[in-house]
């Protein structure tokens, strides 16, 4: 036997055993990293990129998210804060773009989505925890400062304040997804507290994500394998307090000046997270009937609503864009 031939048989055997072991091995894990950003836990999960590249790409995604937060949170010192304080002024391209989107959705939703709810948000101050709700007179006074038609992109007219809490997170998620694509990553999830953008696959199978049950934090309402795009949920369970048996939460109906009462949660699938975010807030305000009608009128958008009584309803195409998977 030649030297080579003598080794050929054992080598082939080793290769066979290795192939077998590889096939049986628990699957390769995706790269994942979680940080606290935008007032929530944000997880970036990537598939397929080798470790140093994955880490660099995730860093860029987090940087994109942080940049949006530092500009558009209603926190002292941010450009949005300055804009509100001054009652107008020059803004960056990014802020102008989110403001334009917010105003477009305000118009399309008949004001159910309204970025000028800031005076009402300040009055209700949900974050403060349990306290008596404001008086009807105080609600009326704050309501008189609300109205998206007071804001123009070229000139800010009338006194109001802008809050982008219903849309900026979606926009930030889109920017993070863009950063990952630019870094050459095609398979990923950007998940900001349950609002997410999904792209590609997890190896040889689709990504799976859970939709939070609005009344049971330990349970998913559904586990789905979404099509490439955004899946965003607005719920009355995220930020709320209870007072004398009633729940007061952070999504306000600009028509009444009070927390919207029609839904427990709304999940929207859309090609972009910015649209899904604005729509989930708007549908929550409009309630199940009007909300589902609004969703059905948007091409390429689907959604699922848990009504105030706990019944679940969805647009006819929701199961197509977010098919349920066995757990
Ligand atoms: P999150 O997922 O961060 O809880 P949502 O998309 O559900 O956010 O939107 C809720 C946030 O939107 C509130 O915290 C507030 O900042 C803002 N908001 C509340 N009511 C409205 C409304 N009617 N239109 C637009 N923004 C709103
Ligand atoms: Mg929203």
């Amino acid at each position: 036997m030649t030297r080579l031939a003598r080794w050929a048989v054992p080598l082939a055997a080793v290769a066979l055993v290795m192939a077998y072991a590889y096939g049986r091995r628990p699957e390769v894990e995706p790269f994942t990293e979680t940080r606290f950003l935008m007032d929530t836990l944000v997880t970036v999960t990537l598939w397929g990129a080798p470790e140093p590249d994955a880490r660099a790409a995730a860093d860029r995604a987090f940087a994109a998210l942080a940049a949006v937060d530092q500009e558009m949170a209603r926190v002292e010192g941010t450009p949005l804060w300055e804009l509100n304080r001054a009652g107008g002024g020059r803004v960056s391209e990014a802020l102008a773009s989110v403001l334009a989107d917010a105003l477009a959705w305000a118009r399309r939703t008949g004001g159910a989505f309204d970025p000028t709810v800031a005076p009402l948000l300040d009055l209700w101050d949900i974050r403060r925890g349990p306290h008596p709700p404001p008086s009807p007179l105080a609600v009326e006074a704050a309501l008189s400062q609300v109205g998206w038609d007071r804001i123009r992109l070229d000139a800010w007219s009338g006194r109001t304040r802008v809050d982008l809490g219903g849309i900026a997170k979606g926009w930030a998620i889109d920017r993070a997804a863009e950063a990952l694509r630019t870094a050459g990553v095609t398979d990923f999830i950007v998940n900001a507290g349950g609002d997410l953008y999904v792209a590609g696959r997890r190896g040889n199978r689709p990504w799976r994500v859970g939709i939070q049950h609005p009344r049971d934090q330990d349970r998913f309402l559904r586990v789905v394998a979404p099509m490439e795009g955004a899946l965003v949920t607005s719920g009355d369970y995220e930020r709320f307090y209870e007072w004398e048996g009633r729940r007061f939460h952070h999504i306000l109906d600009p028509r009444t000046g009070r927390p919207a009462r029609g839904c427990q949660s709304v999940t929207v699938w859309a090609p972009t997270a910015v649209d899904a975010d604005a729509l989930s807030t708007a549908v929550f305000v409009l309630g199940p009937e009007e909300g589902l009608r609004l969703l059905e009128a948007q091409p390429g958008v689907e959604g699922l609503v848990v009504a105030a009584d706990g019944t679940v309803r969805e647009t006819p195409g929701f199961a197509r864009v977010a098919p349920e998977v066995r757990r």
Side-chain angles (χ1 to χ4, degrees):
M1 244 190 233
T2 63
R3 264 176 99 82
L4 197 71
R6 229 179 315 129
W7 283 104
V9 173
L11 269 180
V14 167
L16 251 174
V17 168
M18 276 176 64
Y20 180 73
Y22 191 78
R24 304 267 306 188
R25 208 174 64 160
E27 249 192 273
V28 185
E29 288 300 309
F31 175 89
T32 176
E33 188 171 329
T34 300
R35 293 188 198 170
F36 190 79
L37 262 177
M38 297 189 302
D39 229 11
T40 194
L41 284 177
V42 182
T43 301
V44 172
T45 309
L46 317 179
W47 181 270
E51 157 85 29
D53 298 352
R55 188 165 296 279
D59 280 346
R60 289 192 187 187
F62 281 118
L65 289 156
V68 175
D69 194 30
Q70 281 154 21
E71 182 164 29
M72 302 181 202
R74 211 149 55 82
V75 173
E76 196 166 351
T78 65
L80 181 65
W81 177 276
E82 274 310 310
L83 196 65
N84 279 332
R85 198 190 48 79
R90 286 192 66 81
V91 297
S92 73
E93 218 173 288
L95 187 45
S97 168
V98 178
L99 282 167
D101 284 348
L103 291 177
W105 280 115
R107 185 173 295 111
R108 284 183 217 137
T109 62
F113 184 91
D114 189 332
T116 67
V117 289
L120 281 169
L121 290 166
D122 293 346
L123 177 69
W124 283 91
D125 199 10
I126 298 295
R127 296 169 161 279
R128 185 147 62 90
H131 62 278
S135 71
L137 216 63
V139 171
E140 277 311 310
L143 207 44
S144 74
Q145 299 175 46
V146 173
W148 59 270
D149 53 353
R150 299 168 189 214
I151 299 186
R152 302 264 156 70
L153 281 184
D154 47 357
W156 199 292
S157 64
R159 298 299 299 178
T160 189
R161 298 193 294 284
V162 166
D163 181 283
L164 297 172
I167 192 167
K169 198 203 282 176
W171 202 78
I173 291 170
D174 287 336
R175 299 290 75 73
E178 199 174 64
L180 291 172
R181 288 221 164 89
T182 304
V185 183
T186 52
D187 303 271
F188 60 84
I189 299 186
V190 177
N191 184 343
D195 295 347
L196 45 96
Y197 188 96
V198 181
R201 297 165 68 79
R202 187 194 193 281
N204 57 6
R205 59 185 167 93
W207 294 107
R208 299 166 170 213
V209 298
I211 299 173
Q212 181 64 56
H213 191 290
R215 289 293 175 270
D216 186 351
Q217 301 286 8
D218 300 328
R219 205 147 63 89
F220 289 131
L221 184 68
R222 260 184 216 183
V223 178
V224 297
M227 252 173 64
E228 182 139 333
L231 197 67
V232 174
T233 299
S234 287
D236 66 3
Y237 55 88
E238 297 171 71
R239 302 185 199 289
F240 71 96
Y241 70 80
E242 269 164 339
W243 186 261
E244 291 175 347
R246 298 203 74 191
R247 181 182 287 245
F248 296 96
H249 63 84
H250 71 319
I251 303 174
L252 302 178
D253 186 336
R255 298 166 297 191
T256 64
R258 295 177 163 75
R261 293 287 175 207
C263 305
Q264 294 179 1
S265 77
V266 175
T267 301
V268 173
W269 184 93
T272 63
V274 69
D275 291 345
D277 195 3
L279 274 167
S280 68
T281 305
V283 171
F284 194 103
V285 168
L286 291 171
E289 282 85 26
E290 232 190 308
L292 284 168
R293 271 205 299 279
L294 172 71
L295 289 179
E296 280 172 43
Q298 312 301 315
V301 172
E302 306 291 345
L304 172 138
V305 177
V306 182
D309 64 5
T311 54
V312 180
R313 279 192 266 167
E314 58 196 271
T315 57
F318 187 74
R320 185 179 54 80
V321 298
E324 193 165 9
V325 291
R326 251 177 303 151
R327 307 180 197 186

